[in-house]
Amino acid sequence: MELSPDLRALRDFYYKTALKLPPERDFVRGEKVIDKPAFFTLEHLRRHLNNPLLTPDFFKLYWQGKPVDCSRAMGHKVVQAADLPFLNKGIIEEYLANGAAIVLEAVDLFEPMVNAMCAAIDNAGEVLLSNSVAFFSQARGGEAYRGHVDTADVLVVQLAGRKKWYLHRRQNPRWVNLNELDPAAMGPVQAEFVMQPGDAIYLRNYTPHRVETADEYSLHMAFDICDRRLNADTALHLLLQTYNQDAAPIYTPVEGLLEKLKAHADSKPFREHLAQLSLAQAENYKRARALFGANKVTALDKLAAAEAARRK
């Protein structure tokens, strides 16, 4: 699918500016990257929130900085002995009417054009599978997220309203203590600015940041640029599986156990196994992105077109 003009402009910012960011820089901001963002608007958000199949797995609701448990609003209808779940949208209505924030996850599953943008992002790396998230917040209800760091690089575009950003110095990688960071944990501020509709920012991983809604409301979209190569958990799990097939003798000291593990990790068969899994994983993610873009039913298209023609 060919990108819309506004997303082509965002793609060009990503390729020509963000990907050329010097290593010593933590972020780059582009003003008026998109003249008038139209690929995702409040109308798109409203339509998806009104989808009768929407469940709390696809969104998070926040009131005064705290998540709202929406699972309590789930109901079901029994049809031929099957439970069909549905969400009582009253919970979203009540909190949004009082200033809450909402985060819609995996927008690329709902919007083919957004999925095409994610595909363009994925093509810039070896094994990427980016994710698109829409953030709606209101000045009187607080933000969805407080101070935090992302483990992935992030491309953000402001779609409506204004949002103030505070960026802190980049920190060392970790997998714990990522959210609800207090000022001491955030570290020194390196930049603050207000994002206008059409502005974009590329933020490197582990750069702490927090935001404030600067208008009555704000809508922005973030593309999480996720590295999907084999991670440490997978590699260590596979290493332990290999060790279990060829273990050190009992009574072996810890130093000997580590030497045995290292020998397995350095062995040609183990490294070849990891390489094969890496290739398979890369292909799986490519197929997944293609599926997201073509995941629709077309069997009724001709019949629907013929019926529409008869009505004219």
Side-chain angles (χ1 to χ4, degrees):
M1 173 180 287
E2 184 177 354
L3 292 175
S4 60
D6 49 2
L7 280 176
R8 284 202 300 270
L10 185 62
R11 176 202 59 194
D12 291 346
F13 169 77
Y14 175 63
Y15 272 85
K16 297 177 181 178
T17 302
L19 292 182
K20 295 182 180 179
L21 186 66
E24 66 274 12
R25 294 277 305 280
D26 298 339
F27 74 97
V28 61
R29 178 190 174 201
E31 297 185 68
K32 282 296 180 183
V33 170
I34 298 176
D35 184 27
K36 294 180 179 179
F39 70 91
F40 193 87
T41 64
L42 282 175
E43 176 55 33
H44 289 85
L45 178 63
R46 186 176 71 90
R47 172 161 48 87
H48 292 311
L49 293 182
N50 282 323
N51 187 326
L53 300 181
L54 183 75
T55 68
D57 291 332
F58 282 97
F59 72 92
K60 296 181 180 68
L61 190 63
Y62 293 87
W63 169 240
Q64 296 183 338
K66 300 295 183 180
V68 178
D69 179 14
C70 292
S71 64
R72 57 190 172 91
M74 290 298 294
H76 68 275
K77 179 181 180 182
V78 178
V79 179
Q80 296 182 359
D83 283 343
L84 301 184
F86 67 91
L87 175 71
N88 178 356
K89 303 294 180 63
I91 193 168
I92 299 178
E93 175 73 13
E94 176 186 355
Y95 277 93
L96 286 185
N98 285 283
I102 195 164
V103 178
L104 183 64
E105 301 280 359
V107 179
D108 46 313
L109 293 181
F110 307 136
E111 294 288 337
M113 190 62 68
V114 174
N115 181 68
M117 178 64 195
C118 286
I121 292 173
D122 296 348
N123 288 337
E126 292 182 14
V127 189
L128 297 179
L129 189 72
S130 52
N131 181 50
S132 177
V133 187
F135 293 81
F136 174 80
S137 58
Q138 303 176 79
R140 58 197 174 100
E143 306 302 328
Y145 298 156
R146 297 182 180 180
H148 68 282
V149 297
D150 294 304
T151 59
D153 295 343
V154 181
L155 175 67
V156 176
V157 58
Q158 188 70 23
L159 301 173
R162 297 180 304 147
K163 178 147 284 188
K164 188 169 185 178
W165 284 69
Y166 299 87
L167 303 185
H168 299 247
R169 294 293 179 188
R170 193 179 184 196
Q171 300 179 353
N172 292 329
R174 62 182 186 276
W175 292 98
V176 295
N177 302 323
L178 303 173
N179 302 305
E180 296 292 324
L181 301 180
D182 59 28
M186 296 276 283
V189 174
Q190 65 168 315
E192 58 180 82
F193 48 82
V194 174
M195 294 274 282
Q196 308 278 353
D199 290 355
I201 179 175
Y202 171 74
L203 193 63
R204 283 212 163 107
N205 54 78
Y206 296 102
T207 301
H209 54 280
R210 62 184 180 88
V211 296
E212 295 175 357
T213 300
D215 276 337
E216 179 183 358
Y217 66 87
S218 165
L219 177 65
H220 76 264
M221 182 169 288
F223 295 88
D224 302 323
I225 306 170
C226 304
D227 182 1
R228 297 301 186 184
R229 286 174 288 197
L230 292 183
N231 56 27
D233 285 347
T234 302
L236 289 173
H237 178 71
L238 293 172
L239 180 59
L240 186 57
Q241 284 185 333
T242 302
Y243 175 86
N244 289 340
Q245 298 295 322
D246 181 15
I250 60 171
Y251 309 125
T252 299
V254 172
E255 293 79 4
L257 298 180
L258 293 176
E259 287 298 324
K260 185 71 173 182
L261 286 167
K262 185 176 183 300
H264 281 309
D266 291 337
S267 69
K268 184 177 179 181
F270 181 75
R271 291 183 175 268
E272 288 178 344
H273 183 45
L274 287 184
Q276 291 170 358
L277 288 178
S278 296
L279 288 174
Q281 185 155 297
E283 289 301 317
N284 285 339
Y285 283 122
K286 287 180 180 178
R287 284 194 293 269
R289 179 61 68 198
L291 172 63
F292 298 161
N295 195 24
K296 59 182 179 179
V297 176
T298 61
L300 302 180
D301 286 3
K302 290 183 179 179
L303 295 176
E307 184 175 284
R310 284 196 299 270
R311 289 176 178 171
K312 290 182 179 180

